[in-house]
């Protein structure tokens, strides 16, 4: 039985980032239809990765390779910890280290666009990481810090915490109004601008692992005793959250860096705090 469990966990670790890649393709298709365009095929992100891997590697600094590889390893390790039922706090900090590697990779290239992109990515981390940490903290306080100990679904107890995850995903998916680090019309691709070929593919796959971890947190909010219903409900919830971020992307314009940070540290943190306060008051009343 344990062998089957290990095989299932390994499959999830492999398939989860691929599902994120497919989600990126669906995202592009829906966005294109909203803008009266046909849009690329849903498997376009995989074609892009294939084309990047086939290109000749070019670098401004050898450190870029080190940080790209480190970002991939840390984000993959965070997802593996999550899938294996490990500690949420540890997985959060491992994933956060992967995000810092992205910034260090941007700073290691002598390029003004890359440097500005790295600075903006740091601001984005400052905006979403406190909210993400509070989300992890709220889940742990409500049930367990071990993923293997979480059961019963969290949607009823922590609806505002799930709501706080949406702007976090808007930043991580590089969508308006929080697409400040990449800002294609201003600084090209921000921290990714000096990556090309297979190294850019590595950074993209690292981002898929990072998103798989955060979408994994979203799936914790739905649970059913029936494994099929549970899996279907988790996928439906993750897609619903992705769809909300697509709507937000298409109806908003980019905010300034300061407003992005202020929004996340007031609204994002506030939503989690209010949810925890309500649970505390209800708990006191029950006593």
């Amino acid at each position: 039985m344990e062998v089957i469990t290990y095989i299932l966990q390994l499959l999830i670790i492999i398939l989860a980032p691929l599902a994120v890649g497919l989600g990126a393709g669906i995202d592009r298709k829906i966005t294109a239809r909203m803008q009266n365009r046909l849009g690329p095929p849903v498997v376009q992100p995989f074609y892009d990765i294939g084309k990047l891997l086939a290109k000749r590697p070019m670098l401004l600094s050898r450190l870029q390779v080190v940080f790209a590889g480190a970002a991939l390893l840390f984000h993959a390790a965070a997802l593996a910890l999550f899938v294996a039922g490990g500690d949420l706090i540890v997985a959060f900090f491992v994933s956060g280290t992967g995000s810092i590697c992205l910034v260090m990779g941007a700073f290691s290239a002598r390029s003004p666009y890359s440097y500005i992109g790295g600075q903006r990515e740091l601001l984005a981390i400052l905006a979403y990481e406190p909210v993400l940490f509070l989300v992890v903290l709220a889940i742990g306080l409500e049930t367990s810090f071990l993923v293997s100990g979480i059961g019963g679904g969290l949607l009823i107890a922590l609806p505002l915490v799930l709501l706080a995850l949406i702007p976090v995903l808007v930043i991580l998916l590089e969508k308006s109004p929080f697409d400040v680090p990449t800002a294609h019309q201003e600084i090209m691709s921000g921290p990714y601008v000096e990556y090309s070929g297979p190294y850019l593919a590595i950074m993209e796959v690292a981002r898929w692992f990072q998103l798989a971890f955060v979408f994994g947190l979203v799936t914790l909010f739905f649970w059913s005793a029936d494994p099929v219903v549970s899996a279907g409900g988790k996928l439906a919830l993750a897609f619903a959250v992705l769809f909300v971020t697509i709507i937000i992307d298409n109806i908003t314009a980019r905010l300034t860096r300061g407003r992005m940070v202020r929004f996340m540290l007031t609204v994002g943190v506030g939503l989690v705090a209010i949810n925890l306060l309500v649970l505390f008051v209800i708990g006191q009343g029950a006593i």
Side-chain angles (χ1 to χ4, degrees):
M1 189 66 181
E2 283 189 356
V3 175
I4 295 175
T5 304
Y6 291 145
I7 292 173
L8 280 175
Q9 288 175 348
L10 184 61
L11 280 174
I12 293 173
I13 292 167
I14 295 170
L15 293 177
L18 296 179
V20 171
L22 189 62
I26 295 170
D27 176 356
R28 291 186 192 179
K29 199 75 177 176
I30 294 175
T31 299
R33 291 303 172 94
M34 286 181 176
Q35 298 169 357
N36 281 332
R37 296 186 287 111
L38 184 60
V42 293
V43 292
Q44 186 62 44
F46 301 104
Y47 292 154
D48 294 341
I49 292 291
K51 281 188 287 186
L52 288 172
L53 289 173
K55 286 181 180 291
R56 189 179 64 170
M58 293 180 69
L59 287 170
L60 289 182
S61 162
R62 291 184 179 178
L63 278 176
Q64 287 178 276
V65 185
V66 176
F67 288 121
L72 177 60
L73 284 176
F74 278 114
H75 285 309
L79 178 64
L81 269 171
F82 179 84
V83 174
D87 193 299
L88 271 179
I89 297 284
V90 175
F92 165 80
F93 281 110
V94 171
S95 178
T97 308
S99 302
I100 294 298
C101 287
L102 166 64
V103 175
M104 297 302 290
F107 285 153
S108 67
R110 292 185 177 181
S111 158
Y113 286 119
S114 181
Y115 196 80
I116 293 171
Q119 287 181 322
R120 290 191 179 193
E121 185 65 29
L122 269 181
L123 271 177
I125 291 172
L126 174 66
Y128 75 76
E129 286 283 328
V131 179
L132 194 57
F133 180 70
L134 286 176
V135 168
V136 168
L137 205 60
I139 293 172
L141 291 174
E142 177 61 19
T143 55
S144 166
F145 284 106
L146 288 177
V147 179
S148 58
I150 299 172
L154 302 167
L155 194 55
I156 296 174
L158 300 172
L160 296 183
V161 173
L162 177 62
L163 204 58
L165 268 175
I166 291 175
V168 171
L169 278 165
V170 170
I171 294 177
L172 292 175
L173 289 164
E174 299 164 0
K175 290 184 175 299
S176 290
F178 301 140
D179 55 336
V180 173
T182 47
H184 299 284
Q185 300 91 336
E186 297 174 16
I187 52 171
M188 308 300 284
S189 300
Y192 304 99
V193 70
E194 297 302 343
Y195 281 101
S196 64
Y199 305 120
L200 183 57
I202 291 173
M203 295 302 283
E204 184 64 15
V205 174
R207 199 167 66 88
W208 288 2
F209 273 104
Q210 181 186 22
L211 286 167
F213 169 64
V214 179
F215 274 113
L217 292 178
V218 172
T219 64
L220 295 177
F221 286 79
F222 185 88
W223 182 86
S224 169
D226 187 327
V228 177
V229 175
S230 188
K234 286 176 185 296
L235 283 174
L237 181 60
F239 181 77
V241 170
L242 174 63
F243 187 71
V244 171
T245 64
I246 295 170
I247 297 289
I248 293 171
D249 183 40
N250 281 276
I251 62 173
T252 58
R254 185 182 310 130
L255 290 178
T256 61
R257 290 157 281 172
R259 292 182 72 180
M260 175 185 71
V261 175
R262 280 197 297 274
F263 180 88
M264 294 302 292
L265 297 185
T266 53
V267 177
V269 171
L271 284 171
V272 181
I274 290 170
N275 204 146
L276 288 177
L277 185 62
V278 169
L279 284 179
F280 176 76
V281 170
I282 292 173
Q284 290 294 308
I287 293 172

